Amino acid sequence: MTPAARRALTAAGRLFYERGIHAVGVDLIAAEAGVTKKTLYDRFGSKDQLVVEYLADRDERWRARLAERLDACASPRERVLAVFDVSRAWMDENSPRGCGMVNAHAEIDDPSHPAYAIITGQKQWMLTLFTDLVRPLAPGSAESLGRTLMLLHEGALVAFGLRVFPGALEQARDQAAALLDGAVDRTPAG
Amino acid sequence: MTPAARRALTAAGRLFYERGIHAVGVDLIAAEAGVTKKTLYDRFGSKDQLVVEYLADRDERWRARLAERLDACASPRERVLAVFDVSRAWMDENSPRGCGMVNAHAEIDDPSHPAYAIITGQKQWMLTLFTDLVRPLAPGSAESLGRTLMLLHEGALVAFGLRVFPGALEQARDQAAALLDGAVDRTPAG
DNA sequence: CCGAAAGTAGACCGATCTGTATACCCGTGG
DNA sequence: CCACGGGTATACAGATCGGTCTACTTTCGG
């Protein structure tokens, strides 16, 4: 990716997230990135493609960030709870308006849009992640427990973005910890 | 509200929800409602105001629907779980794309926008509702339990809209039931 | 009987939207 | 030396946006 394309994608990502996809025009993106519209269209072809690459880039950065943190965890239990910690840090840093994928989904009605696969793909991946992380702790109820953790996590992201109450991620994390304790008790490994 | 205004608001509500607010123009709303643009502007004044009344109307219908169901419940425990049942029915009927308030929030960045108060107001009201419903069952932990139920509920709405897995509302309901059992055990009334 | 309210039909305005075209500049590698 | 890739600057096209306007019709209560 050329330097101008990088700048354009960075600016587009910030503007799409902060103001919404349909509310941001390509002229504004070009201006904010210090890039010509011609360059923008030479590199990305269309606004739709720029949206797709925005979501793909955001998804990639999120997964990399998460993987880095999970690798540093010692136990399965720590890994599950670390997901909530990474989310909390991610939200604090550059996501005051909640999950970018959920917000993008609100603006894209067509399931055949290429962005759709990225959005639902990340959510599916997160569900699988939770289920896999919890399996060593509670093999018998991993699927159900993974789904519940998914609900708590998604709910916390929404509650954070809408400022329903302070400490939504911490609340979800605490509840996740309690669920793990209960599940471990009732479902001995093996 | 005049008949034409009612038709316009109904059409606007359906289009705003299905396609997103910024993606729907006033010309389309007028055409779908069988109403002229002049009538639309005579009744609502601006597209922004139409958006506000769309959200206010949706909020009102949701609360009425919920209240009706809660009144028919016999026990506090039933009332808590009924919230998830009503949500499930509401989603099945006319909300395949998740919560309209969350989706609208994704498109409105300005906190001073009148629609913002409606969106956050409904979420605050839901949090208070959960907390109040659970207080008779677990007075000592009503606030924390209410927040957790809020997270489960919001997460289920998102998971439903993004089709993360089937039965998200039922999963949330089952988990809520388990939490109530645990909380009642540990927190005797009085 | 008549005036006000509610409505239709449709032209129109300026702004903004995505996307394209023309002309030119510059650094680098063969 | 020079061709090419990446870039700037800017004008432009066609469509759509939110919003306004004039002219006419219909309905209904005092």
Side-chain angles (χ1 to χ4, degrees):
Chain A
M1 188 171 306
T2 65
R6 231 321 129 195
R7 260 153 49 218
L9 188 57
T10 301
R14 184 175 56 81
L15 290 168
F16 283 155
Y17 179 79
E18 289 177 357
R19 309 190 191 183
I21 293 171
H22 286 135
V24 170
V26 290
D27 296 82
L28 177 62
I29 295 172
E32 293 267 316
V35 156
T36 309
K37 264 210 305 184
K38 181 174 183 302
T39 297
L40 208 158
Y41 275 92
D42 282 346
R43 297 289 143 258
F44 298 97
S46 68
K47 182 187 175 179
D48 256 21
Q49 186 57 31
L50 191 54
V51 170
V52 169
E53 301 210 22
Y54 148 59
L55 292 172
D57 181 66
R58 194 177 175 92
D59 183 39
E60 192 179 350
R61 284 185 289 115
W62 161 249
R63 296 198 196 193
R65 174 84 175 264
L66 188 55
E68 184 184 22
R69 181 72 148 77
L70 292 183
D71 281 349
C73 290
S75 70
R77 180 193 162 88
E78 276 182 47
R79 269 188 284 278
V80 173
L81 301 183
V83 177
F84 295 88
D85 294 335
V86 179
S87 278
R88 163 63 199 258
W90 177 273
M91 292 287 121
D92 279 345
E93 285 165 25
N94 50 20
S95 298
R97 302 185 67 247
C99 174
M101 300 292 156
V102 171
N103 290 350
H105 176 262
E107 296 202 68
I108 300 175
D109 56 310
D110 181 12
S112 71
H113 193 294
Y116 223 84
I118 299 175
I119 295 168
T120 59
Q122 187 189 78
K123 295 305 179 190
Q124 290 294 330
W125 183 83
M126 285 297 295
L127 174 61
T128 303
L129 175 74
F130 274 122
T131 307
D132 289 347
L133 288 182
V134 89
R135 185 165 287 119
L137 295 166
S141 56
E143 272 72 21
S144 177
L145 191 49
R147 288 195 288 268
T148 297
L149 291 174
M150 184 78 189
L151 295 188
L152 282 171
H153 186 251
E154 288 301 317
L157 297 184
V158 171
F160 182 93
L162 269 63
R163 293 172 170 73
V164 182
F165 59 89
L169 266 303
E170 291 83 348
Q171 175 87 20
R173 192 200 122 110
D174 291 350
Q175 187 59 47
L179 285 177
L180 291 183
D181 293 341
V184 170
D185 287 345
R186 297 192 203 97
T187 317
Chain B
M1 189 172 304
T2 66
R6 221 337 120 190
R7 261 152 51 216
L9 187 57
T10 301
R14 184 176 56 81
L15 290 168
F16 283 155
Y17 180 79
E18 288 177 358
R19 308 190 191 182
I21 292 172
H22 286 134
V24 171
V26 290
D27 296 83
L28 177 63
I29 295 172
E32 294 267 316
V35 156
T36 55
K37 272 210 300 182
K38 181 172 182 302
T39 298
L40 210 158
Y41 276 91
D42 281 347
R43 296 289 144 257
F44 298 98
S46 69
K47 182 186 176 179
D48 256 21
Q49 186 57 30
L50 192 54
V51 170
V52 169
E53 301 209 21
Y54 148 60
L55 292 172
D57 180 67
R58 193 177 175 93
D59 183 39
E60 191 179 352
R61 285 185 289 114
W62 161 249
R63 295 198 196 193
R65 173 86 174 263
L66 188 55
E68 184 184 25
R69 181 74 148 77
L70 292 183
D71 281 349
C73 290
S75 70
R77 180 191 161 91
E78 277 182 48
R79 269 188 283 278
V80 172
L81 301 183
V83 178
F84 294 89
D85 294 334
V86 178
S87 278
R88 164 62 200 261
W90 177 273
M91 291 287 122
D92 280 344
E93 285 165 26
N94 50 21
S95 298
R97 304 185 66 247
C99 174
M101 299 292 155
V102 171
N103 290 350
H105 177 261
E107 297 203 67
I108 300 175
D109 56 309
D110 180 12
S112 71
H113 192 294
Y116 223 84
I118 299 175
I119 296 168
T120 59
Q122 187 188 78
K123 296 307 180 189
Q124 289 294 330
W125 183 83
M126 285 297 295
L127 174 61
T128 302
L129 176 74
F130 274 123
T131 306
D132 289 346
L133 288 182
V134 88
R135 185 165 287 118
L137 295 166
S141 56
E143 272 71 20
S144 178
L145 191 48
R147 286 195 289 266
T148 297
L149 291 174
M150 184 78 190
L151 295 188
L152 283 171
H153 186 252
E154 287 302 315
L157 297 184
V158 171
F160 182 94
L162 270 63
R163 293 172 170 73
V164 181
F165 60 88
L169 267 303
E170 292 83 346
Q171 176 86 20
R173 193 199 122 110
D174 292 349
Q175 187 58 48
L179 285 177
L180 291 184
D181 292 342
V184 169
D185 287 346
R186 295 193 206 95
T187 313

